Amino acid sequence: MRTAVVVGAGLAGLATAGALSRSGWHVVLLERGERVAAPPTALVLWPNGRRALESLDAEGGWSAIACPLPDGGVRRPDGQWLVTPRSGGAGPAPGAVHLEDLYDALMAGLGDLAEIRTGFAVTTIRTGPGLRPVIGDGRTEIEADLVVAADGIDSTLRRTLAPESAAVGSGFAAWQAVIPGYRVPPAGQSAGGETLGAGYRFVSIPLGERAAGEGGVYWVATAAGAPRPESPATQLELLRRWFAGWHPPVGELLAATHADELVPQEVRELRPLPRSYAFPSGPGGVVLLGDAAHAMPHHLGQGACLAFEDAATLRALAGEAAPGPALTAALEAYSRLRQPRATTVVRQTRRMSAVVQARGRLALRARDAALNHMRPRILSAPFADWRPPD
């Protein structure tokens, strides 16, 4: 039987393990933590991410867990429109998904051929022309036809196989939270959208009534600068001070957030991107996938969607491939397809970073004048038309 090891049981790893196992691979899914747990936040599934998930598992029930996301437009802190809301667009409508629901759906789709091992922190990998790839944690080694590095921006496997690519700060700090439905203030019940200030950004997204069994609102705030060292309670007070005076429901949502719901995050990215996403070894090899391959700032919300694209592409190319020339050719094709795609999305994300970073009167004036024309191209042009390979 064909064997695969997927390193990392986040969204990318779960999606890939399920896709391979449903294609007849025996999959060992390794997680360094003691359990597989969803972060207490949410994400947006853009049309490309929806297509990728549906191609991976047409029976996954994705429409049942995604709340339709209309375009909420972009405002200035005083409430003045920079980009008015639009309706419609290419492809399936984007949707907001609570990560608890998404993890549950991906876990349910793993299948009988997938095995999960927790508490396994990969520290070594061996590859070579005549050697099936071997990974280990210092105590146990596992050999397989295919190893998938889905272990995030700090991937141990990427540091070994693609040392030219390093995780660096993007110059931003970010905070996320989900306010449960029973505590959402009236002003935030249906309001969603994006607000841009001078080096600050606030995005709020209603999750619907069914998210994680209780509904709610998901929000993300970013600020230029390094991550804060203070406690979550102190950081929440800082956010309330920084965003004081912004139009409703920004202040109301921050006031309704509890400190234990706040998820601070340093915004980081890979620079440069790896030169290859596939590394042949014996009859198979290793591939980089998700943030291990192309971590980027989350300004466009494409990180998870690109990871699902990766998983769908790998399944389409390697799902039926036998170890040997067919599998190594499939892995090389995966790298050829995913590298230019990731490069395009990263380039667009960095353009959006420049928009978010704008500070000073002249820079803000130029940003505001250009944003109405720029934003639709940044958000839709390289994303909406993606289709999984045949």
Side-chain angles (χ1 to χ4, degrees), residues 68-159:
L69 180 70
D71 187 338
V74 183
R75 299 185 187 218
R76 293 188 349 183
D78 61 7
Q80 179 179 332
W81 289 108
L82 293 172
V83 181
T84 56
R86 294 175 170 86
S87 60
V97 183
H98 197 294
L99 289 189
E100 287 185 14
D101 295 331
L102 188 51
Y103 267 66
D104 286 348
L106 292 171
M107 288 285 288
L110 284 177
D112 296 335
L113 295 179
E115 168 193 354
I116 301 176
R117 298 188 192 179
T118 57
F120 195 108
V122 173
T123 57
T124 60
I125 182 166
R126 296 202 310 273
T127 60
L131 176 71
R132 295 170 81 210
V134 179
I135 57 95
D137 68 347
R139 298 168 299 175
T140 304
E141 291 190 336
I142 305 175
E143 180 179 315
D145 299 310
L146 171 64
V147 171
V148 179
D151 47 345
I153 189 171
D154 295 312
S155 170
T156 298
L157 301 185
R158 187 199 63 249
R159 287 199 297 265

Side-chain angles (χ1 to χ4, degrees), residues 172-175 200 223-232 234-236 238-239 241-242 262 264-267:
F172 293 89
W175 298 263
Y200 295 90
R228 305 292 304 192
E230 296 91 350
S231 69
T234 301
Q235 292 189 51
L236 184 55
L238 284 171
L239 289 171
R241 186 187 314 161
W242 292 341
L262 192 68
Q265 179 187 14
E266 180 184 10
V267 182

Side-chain angles (χ1 to χ4, degrees), residues 171-326:
F172 293 89
W175 298 263
Q176 304 176 63
V178 172
I179 305 171
Y182 67 87
R183 206 175 346 111
V184 174
Q189 292 286 352
S190 59
E194 176 180 352
T195 306
L196 288 177
Y200 295 90
R201 184 190 193 201
F202 192 93
V203 179
S204 62
I205 300 172
L207 296 176
E209 298 179 355
R210 297 175 295 177
E214 59 185 9
V217 168
Y218 167 57
W219 63 257
V220 183
T222 58
R228 305 292 304 192
E230 296 91 350
S231 69
T234 301
Q235 292 189 51
L236 184 55
E237 287 303 317
L238 284 171
L239 289 171
R240 290 168 178 165
R241 186 187 314 161
W242 292 341
F243 290 94
W246 285 39
H247 69 82
V250 175
E252 291 84 349
L253 292 175
L254 289 170
T257 303
H258 291 176
D260 60 0
E261 294 164 344
L262 192 68
V263 181
Q265 179 187 14
E266 180 184 10
V267 182
R268 297 188 294 158
E269 60 188 289
L270 291 183
R271 283 183 181 262
L273 294 181
R275 289 192 291 264
S276 177
Y277 289 161
F279 305 86
S281 182
V286 184
V287 295
L288 303 180
L289 189 147
D291 280 352
H294 43 62
M296 67 192 75
H298 59 240
H299 302 311
L300 294 182
Q302 278 291 323
C305 293
L306 270 194
F308 296 144
E309 286 186 23
D310 292 343
T313 302
L314 182 64
R315 197 283 303 270
L317 296 172
E320 306 301 326

